[in-house]
Amino acid sequence: MSISLKKIVSVLNASWLGLKNETEIENISIDSRSLQNSPSTLFFAIVGANNDAHNYIEDLISIGVQNFVVQYVPEGLEEKANFILVQNSLKALQQFAVFYRNKFEFPVIGLTGSNGKTIVKEWLNFLLSPDFNVIRSPKSYNSQVGVPLSIVAINEKHNLGIFEAGISTTAEMQHLEKVIQPTIGVLTNIGSSHDEGFASIEEKIQEKLQLFDHAEILIYQKNKLVDPFIKPSSKTFSWSFEDQNADVYIYNKEIVNLETVIYYNYGGAKSHFKIPFVDRASIENAISCMMVLLYLKYDSAIIQARMGLLFPVEMRLKVKNGINNCTLVDDSYSSDFQSLKIALDFLESQKQFQNKTVILSDIFQSGLVNEELYERVSQLIISNNVNRVIGIGDTISDFKDKFANCITYNNTAEFIADFEHIDFSNETILVKGARSFQFEEIVALLEEKTHETVLEINLNAISYNLNFFKSKLKPGVKIMVMVKAFGYGNGGLEIANLLEHHNVDYLGVAFADEGISLKHGGIKTPIMVLNPENTSFGAIIQHQLEPEIYCLKGLHAFLKIAKQKNLKDFPIHIKIDTGMHRLGFEVDTIPELIATLKGNNTVKVKSILSHLATSDDPLQRDFAVSQINLFEELSSQIVRELAINPIRHILNTSGISNFPDNQFNMVRLGIGLYGVSNDPKEQKYLETVGTLKSVISQVRVIQAGESVGYGRKFVANRVTRVATIPIGYADGISRGLGNGVGYINVKDQKARILGNVCMDMIMVDVTEIDCTEGDSVIVFGDKPTVSYIAKKLNTIPYEILTSISQRVKRVFYR
Ligand SMILES: *Cc1c(COP(=O)(O)O)cnc(C)c1O
């Protein structure tokens, strides 16, 4: 892209408040944290429900970004950069994308539907890439923001586009339609449920179909629900399993081993193809792809050959623990320029280590000539501060000189042969390669070897939950997130990294050593230590942690050390006991607290806090109110008499939900971030963060009268299939779940726990479930939920989450 600012101002019909509008814009950004921002970036400052990007403009200017689309010019920045003033930055981004889209004339496939969009997109890309220079949306960039960002990545060399559009409510598709302007429309599986955000399934269908309003053809599965809403003027190309009047009639499908043969009749001619999948969704997705190939006049021999090579689509970047204390970012299934940019941004958000290595295969489908492509890749690598590049493939080897610290191999096998001579330690490694390079073998070598039980942590769900609670805060109210006990068992540093990425104001830990390990991990966000022991004050000061001080004895001890070290204004947090009776200054010690702090400048009261005992219990609301009132009174007294202006805070997760008027200056979010609410109504709005997964080690059949496990506590009364799972009470599975109390999820069905829970294993009943050794199972996640298990065990979700032992590997993904 190379477009003058002047042109953009006129395209957006905007006011210009700038210095020089001769600048050429080379790329578009909305992410203030991306290291790819540069003087030729145009930054759209988007105002979201929880985040106003205008707040980052000052920082961006300081690193050299000069061009901004804004809704207002932040105070003090006038004349410091070029500003294009618009009513709504998101709308402006879409408007710009429409303008940009109109510069290109090639066929564009637009996909929407409830399921399958991303898979169909990736498959079509694979099927069509031998014949076209394809530009497609990266990952699942299909939103109001993601679609325009996908479109502006088109360049002169592309000659086919594939873009997906996702919507969550009405009046959204019309915008995406204008941006994508599909010539070929594909409606994937529409689903039978009506999603939140739509009044009915009919409304959802009507809205989705708007994507195809101007397409030359609509490809879809004939369907009684959809048909009535297709405009008579629309040309369609339909398929069906049942309806012989469809353009393509699927008259048979046959499952053999792990493959499905699909037989179809098109224009009177019979033909078939085979795919390496057997599930219904894959079959439908494959047929959608075949329809596009038929429409583009591919012959059946090519269709047969290419469909047979379809593969499972890996849609997410995975973060894994690597050998020698490395962190791996596994993106081993694609290598195109757009997704490289995304992966590098993601790599930047992983702050565990200074050192970064990228293992990169040849890059396909950039639309650029190689010389220019690898020049651009090299610039990306430089701007992301990558220390080392390991290039694998003939082409990247030819361009080795473009990279500063680079070794290359002609193919994956050569790299593997040399593996033990390469040093990988204490660094973050991005593994990114095209499918054909089989980088999964490299990931297997680099991955830390542990047993098969893992706790998968969905980082997107954490972001989502954070934003959900942030949206409940009044303007200006800060947020502290509790990451004590390894982030409630979910992972300490990884989650702290993400929270820092989201600019939370404070992190909270229970003990000094938790805070120290976060500091060692590079966390810069201020950290409050809830429960500092006097013996740890030295370490707290050394590592710039901020102690909560909760009694006179602790205060005097801390002041003594602070004085010895000649500290000035060292931040501390004062906790008052308003009724919880756990930690905190009691009412009658407040005068002495004030007297001690008066005129003392070794420390500075950063905040005053208290903690509610009954915020989750509507029946004990009065007690919480009395605590809040006492807190208001005591904290005001301290503020007044010391003439200070600290942050005041009392609400935890259920406090945020139940006492919206008492947020003071900050709230302390804990369990809610991890996707658990004490309120079933609110639970619906949260996303599951942790999924505890394991596998089936062995399956056996026992006869009626035979028993299972220690003490023979389960005796079969019929022929029973028993599966053994390698997870037990040493991993945090309570013995209380044994003997039929709990179940696990096998293939989406309940498998009761049989007999006693062992130290490292459980046995479950899979008599009615079609499963085999090696199959994955879910111990908790969406089903059963942590809350369900807690209820069965007469405890609370907090205990279940924090009991998962550290020997269970945590895998983070988004
Ligand atoms: C743990 C903790 C929180 C967070 O509580 P949740 O119920 O998990 O939101 C807040 N404040 C203090 C003092 C805590 O110890």
Side-chain angles (χ1 to χ4, degrees), residues 482 484 488 530 575 582 611 652-653 668 670-671 798:
M482 310 312 288
K484 57 198 185 194
Y488 289 47
L530 287 168
K575 167 91 142 275
R582 185 170 72 175
H611 194 43
N652 64 340
T653 301
R668 299 188 303 271
I671 192 92
Y798 300 72

Side-chain angles (χ1 to χ4, degrees), residues 737-778:
L737 289 172
N739 299 306
V741 174
Y743 73 90
I744 65 168
N745 178 333
V746 180
K747 303 256 158 153
D748 226 11
Q749 293 170 68
K750 290 183 185 181
R752 274 185 316 142
I753 299 180
L754 300 176
N756 283 323
V757 171
C758 309
M759 184 186 290
D760 310 306
M761 277 169 274
I762 52 175
M763 282 70 83
V764 299
D765 183 350
V766 293
T767 310
E768 315 284 349
I769 305 175
D770 179 14
C771 60
T772 59
E773 286 159 14
D775 282 351
S776 170
V777 304
I778 292 172

Side-chain angles (χ1 to χ4, degrees), residues 31-33 51 56 59 348-354 459 462-463 466-467 470 479-483 491-508 515 517-527 544-545 673-674 814:
D31 182 357
S32 63
R33 294 158 305 213
N51 210 348
Y56 310 121
D59 290 348
E348 170 55 19
S349 74
Q350 295 295 311
K351 295 210 179 344
Q352 288 88 322
F353 303 109
Q354 282 278 318
L459 295 173
I462 293 186
S463 302
L466 176 67
N467 286 334
K470 269 192 179 172
I479 188 160
M480 173 185 285
V481 178
M482 310 312 288
V483 292
L493 185 54
E494 296 79 1
I495 291 175
N497 260 318
L498 178 69
L499 295 168
E500 182 158 295
H501 196 66
H502 279 285
N503 292 310
V504 306
D505 300 283
Y506 260 97
L507 298 175
S517 70
L518 294 183
K519 287 280 179 180
H520 279 320
I523 295 295
K524 302 272 186 323
T525 307
I527 300 172
Q544 306 249 315
L545 299 167
L673 183 81
Y674 308 99
R814 61 174 74 202

Side-chain angles (χ1 to χ4, degrees), residues 293-437:
L293 297 189
L294 285 179
Y295 180 74
L296 294 175
K297 304 205 158 45
Y298 277 82
D299 67 38
S300 63
I302 294 190
I303 292 180
Q304 260 180 31
R306 293 192 189 166
M307 298 298 277
L309 300 174
L310 292 182
F311 48 86
V313 172
E314 194 58 62
M315 271 178 288
R316 42 193 219 189
L317 287 165
K318 285 190 185 151
V319 183
K320 301 175 170 172
N321 289 333
I323 54 169
N324 307 328
N325 194 31
C326 290
T327 297
L328 291 186
V329 176
D330 176 4
D331 195 8
S332 56
Y333 289 99
S334 67
S335 103
D336 54 280
F337 192 68
Q338 275 311 305
S339 70
L340 177 64
K341 289 177 78 160
I342 294 176
L344 285 170
D345 271 343
F346 182 73
L347 186 66
E348 170 55 19
S349 74
Q350 295 295 311
K351 295 210 179 344
Q352 288 88 322
F353 303 109
Q354 282 278 318
N355 279 340
K356 301 181 208 168
T357 290
V358 172
I359 303 180
L360 185 64
S361 78
D362 287 348
I363 294 179
F364 298 129
Q365 300 174 316
S366 67
L368 301 171
V369 291
N370 284 334
E371 178 73 28
E372 190 181 345
L373 168 64
Y374 287 96
E375 183 59 40
R376 288 204 195 173
V377 171
S378 149
Q379 278 163 14
L380 260 188
I381 298 269
I382 291 168
S383 60
N384 280 280
N385 301 330
V386 172
N387 307 75
R388 172 169 64 166
V389 175
I390 298 176
I392 298 179
D394 291 332
T395 320
I396 196 166
S397 294
D398 287 345
F399 292 95
K400 178 178 175 181
D401 292 345
K402 295 211 179 280
F403 302 95
N405 178 13
C406 179
I407 42 176
T408 55
Y409 299 90
N410 285 323
N411 53 51
T412 306
E414 279 183 21
F415 168 81
I416 289 174
D418 197 33
F419 183 73
E420 52 184 276
H421 302 119
I422 316 173
D423 175 39
F424 292 103
S425 59
N426 299 306
E427 62 191 315
T428 310
I429 306 169
L430 169 65
V431 184
K432 180 139 188 67
R435 282 193 60 75
S436 56
F437 282 86

Side-chain angles (χ1 to χ4, degrees), residues 122-136:
E122 291 300 316
W123 282 354
L124 279 176
N125 172 59
F126 166 79
L127 294 165
L128 297 172
S129 58
D131 313 306
F132 294 93
N133 263 329
V134 181
I135 171 83
R136 70 193 196 281

